[in-house]
Amino acid sequence: MANENANGNQHTVTRSPPPPSPLRFSKFFQSNMRILVTGGAGFIGSHLVDKLMENEKNEVIVVDNYFTGSKDNLKKWIGHPRFELIRHDVTETLLVEVDRIYHLACPASPIFYKYNPVKTIKTNVIGTLNMLGLAKRVGARILLTSTSEVYGDPLEHPQKEEYWGNVNPIGVRSCYDEGKRVAETLMFDYHRQHGIEIRIARIFNTYGPRMNIDDGRVVSNFIAQAIRDEPLTVQAPGTQTRSFCYVSDMVDGLIRLMEGEHTGPINIGNPGEFTMMELAENVKELINPEVSVKIVENTPDDPRQRKPNITKAKELLGWEPKITLREGLPFMEEDFRQRLGVPKKQIN
Ligand SMILES: NC(=O)c1ccc[n+]([C@@H]2O[C@H](COP(=O)([O-])OP(=O)(O)OC[C@H]3O[C@@H](n4cnc5c(N)ncnc54)[C@H](O)[C@@H]3O)[C@@H](O)[C@H]2O)c1
Ligand SMILES: O=c1ccn([C@@H]2O[C@H](COP(=O)(O)OP(=O)(O)O[C@H]3OC[C@@H](O)[C@H](O)[C@H]3O)[C@@H](O)[C@H]2O)c(=O)[nH]1
């Protein structure tokens, strides 16, 4: 069986996939779909769990080491008969009988993934190897949440999936950028060599409620600063761009990819591109017109531009984002105000 990969090359899958559990072929009683979500206590993962749990035919197991995630993000499911939460680090092997694996375990914030770069690359390489070994052992379909960072500091703009990227192999972000690239390589090697059913999402900047308030990412920083009346810290030059996808759109895209027939990689993101200065102006206008903006130093290897070409997501998944940045920011403001205990100022 041959299918086309993102680079347009035919690649032959030499082996048929390992047989899924006989449970999937039950005639009289259709057993629940058993879904493992690694990193499910995190920002995107916990919203994914919420969506998956809405389907009564799904059982969800979350494994997480709580490096950046929190049990608080899953508190409404703890004790639910179709939900299990396991404290586990994916760099250690795991044996659970499942039908689907959403592999999200990896710190996403640059501050956190740069905190322990060796651990970050172990999580991306050994963690993904362990999850692929599990998928092979139990006959599960596995989805990897890769990232727009695989394009590095892109020379092609907007970025299509066929673009091979412009990545520094030895920089301070390489643990994440190269870690995710190796993870994608491992996914395709297990697909070609063992027939594993894989799905690869290249996620672009995602924001929404439950983001770690102090995780250092730009949207969470600006909103927390605006609410606390602190200057918005635009990292120089301020003209660099990102494209921001609201978390509910992201979750919808991930589920469509998992349950569709395409391996990917497929870009999932919102093509609405903003400079950091424009983002600051939007936050100022929507949340706190009095707040000041200050230019601060940036970190090495910060990509200068990023915007997804989402043609494949539209054509192959029937997906496109629905929520614009100006619609999504107020939802995040409400969440942060509630968590910080800072009510909106009454304008009399
Ligand atoms: N949020 C974004 O803008 C974005 C963009 C691109 C890709 N992604 C990817 O999406 C996934 C989720 O990102 P997020 O924004 O929810 O980040 P997050 O940091 O909130 O979630 C990551 C989760 O993984 C857990 N984790 C980290 N290392 C682990 C390990 N070794 N073993 C077990 N659990 C571990 C963390 O505790 C956390 O709960 C990540 O793979 C990230 O690379 C996110
Ligand atoms: O306070 C801040 C923080 C960040 N920034 C700038 O905002 C831009 C975005 O930075 P962030 O730290 O939010 O995130 P990045 O775009 O670097 O990575 C993000 O997108 C790709 C994902 O894979 C990563 O997981 C996610 O963190 C950068 O240009 C950064 O310099 C600010 O201007 N001010």
Side-chain angles (χ1 to χ4, degrees), residues 298-348:
N298 204 330
T299 55
D301 293 1
D302 185 50
R304 279 157 300 181
Q305 57 186 0
R306 199 184 279 161
K307 172 181 174 159
N309 175 313
I310 59 168
T311 305
K312 281 187 190 288
K314 285 180 181 173
E315 290 178 358
L316 303 180
L317 305 181
W319 177 89
E320 61 183 315
K322 299 187 180 71
I323 295 178
T324 66
L325 184 71
R326 290 181 68 86
E327 290 165 337
L329 288 177
F331 295 132
M332 226 176 130
E333 176 195 6
E334 189 186 334
D335 173 65
F336 273 34
R337 283 193 182 282
Q338 190 265 322
R339 288 158 67 190
L340 289 167
V342 180
K344 198 155 179 80
K345 287 178 195 147
Q346 295 306 324
I347 302 168
N348 30 15

Side-chain angles (χ1 to χ4, degrees), residues 108-110 147-149 173 176 205 216-218 221-222 233-235 240 242 276 298 302-303 306:
S109 163
T147 167
S148 55
E149 300 262 10
R173 300 172 76 106
Y176 185 79
N205 296 57
R217 282 184 278 190
V218 66
N221 269 6
F222 283 4
T233 54
V234 173
Q235 291 177 6
Q240 72 272 36
R242 294 294 189 275
M276 293 310 100
N298 204 330
D302 185 50
R306 199 184 279 161

Side-chain angles (χ1 to χ4, degrees), residues 94-266:
L94 177 73
L95 189 46
V96 284
E97 295 292 335
V98 291
D99 308 296
R100 295 278 191 272
I101 302 171
Y102 285 90
H103 179 35
L104 281 72
C106 175
S109 163
I111 285 184
F112 282 84
Y113 68 63
K114 292 189 278 193
Y115 166 77
N116 183 344
V118 174
K119 181 59 188 297
T120 298
I121 201 153
K122 278 183 178 175
T123 295
N124 281 315
V125 178
I126 300 170
T128 304
L129 263 175
N130 284 337
M131 288 305 111
L132 282 162
L134 175 62
K136 181 166 178 275
R137 161 77 182 60
V138 301
R141 179 183 296 176
I142 178 170
L143 180 147
L144 168 74
T145 51
S146 184
T147 167
S148 55
E149 300 262 10
V150 301
Y151 301 120
D153 187 10
L155 305 176
E156 180 181 297
H157 191 71
Q159 293 82 56
K160 286 190 291 202
E161 291 86 350
E162 290 74 12
Y163 177 49
W164 288 6
N166 176 39
V167 173
N168 177 354
I170 56 172
V172 292
R173 300 172 76 106
S174 308
C175 58
Y176 185 79
D177 303 2
E178 297 287 26
K180 289 287 190 181
R181 286 160 68 102
V182 171
E184 288 196 18
T185 307
L186 288 168
M187 291 283 285
F188 264 97
D189 286 340
Y190 266 74
H191 177 60
R192 285 183 285 251
Q193 199 167 326
H194 303 296
I196 304 296
E197 282 194 297
I198 64 167
R199 301 289 184 269
I200 297 179
R202 285 185 183 155
I203 297 181
F204 282 66
N205 296 57
T206 303
Y207 70 99
R210 281 196 214 134
M211 275 189 98
N212 224 321
I213 293 182
D214 300 309
D215 89 356
R217 282 184 278 190
V218 66
V219 178
S220 42
N221 269 6
F222 283 4
I223 290 186
Q225 288 161 351
I227 287 173
R228 292 168 169 151
D229 259 333
E230 295 163 4
L232 305 187
T233 54
V234 173
Q235 291 177 6
T239 51
Q240 72 272 36
T241 68
R242 294 294 189 275
S243 308
F244 298 101
C245 184
Y246 189 68
V247 66
S248 59
D249 284 329
M250 181 53 61
V251 166
D252 181 31
L254 293 177
I255 293 174
R256 283 170 183 258
L257 175 58
M258 175 66 98
E259 296 310 325
E261 292 311 310
H262 299 277
T263 61
I266 294 183

